[in-house]
Amino acid sequence: MAEAMPALPTPDQYPAVYQFKFCPLDATPLIRQLKHGLPRLCCPACGWVWYPNPSISATVIVEHAGGIVLARRALPPDVGIWHLPIGHIEFGEQPEAAAIREVYEETGLEIAELRFLTYELSPSYADSRMFYIVFGFVGRAVGGTLQPTAESSEVAVVPLAELPELKWRSQRKTVAAYRAMLTGS
Ligand SMILES: [Zn+2]
């Protein structure tokens, strides 16, 4: 079941980094106007409207001889936690392509047979006014070399039955969907 979300935020409730003061196209001071049913930051000169969007990421359960691949995070936030490979989808990038790229960047592995499992929309841990959509996939390691990278201080293969509780909700949901897929439920 979807988690209860707060009412849709208005400009005064946007995260600080979204509270723009000037039009990015012509530097005119922005005003608040109703657009498509919500107050939004609008440019009275050129008509530009700020439509805030969630950040979009992809995470992957990597099937490897011996179990599932975990990486130990080398970057803030949450330095030191063990997690599934995950990263932002670039502007214009397919989620599947981002998943394959992030696995390589964080673990050195090449994967194939990518399958979609589930998605999660949730507030950011760092700022509950920011939102993330995370696409969860499963793929199989078919090449490359499992090794730490600039983004991961350690990497490991853990049997699925011994997988530790993961910190990030989107990754717990992805693991649950994976287990359900395996059992056919
Ligand atoms: Zn403008």
Side-chain angles (χ1 to χ4, degrees), residues 22-28 30 42-49:
F22 302 97
C23 175
L25 301 180
D26 55 37
T28 301
L30 296 174
C42 306
C43 175
C46 75
W48 180 86
V49 182

Side-chain angles (χ1 to χ4, degrees), residues 63-102:
E63 298 174 323
H64 187 282
I68 302 302
V69 175
L70 291 180
R72 194 164 193 197
R73 190 166 167 83
L75 306 174
D78 291 332
V79 170
I81 69 163
W82 288 94
H83 61 90
L84 304 174
I86 186 170
H88 289 100
I89 299 170
E90 298 283 1
F91 180 67
E93 187 176 40
Q94 291 283 357
E96 292 84 353
I100 291 167
R101 177 178 56 73
E102 289 291 346

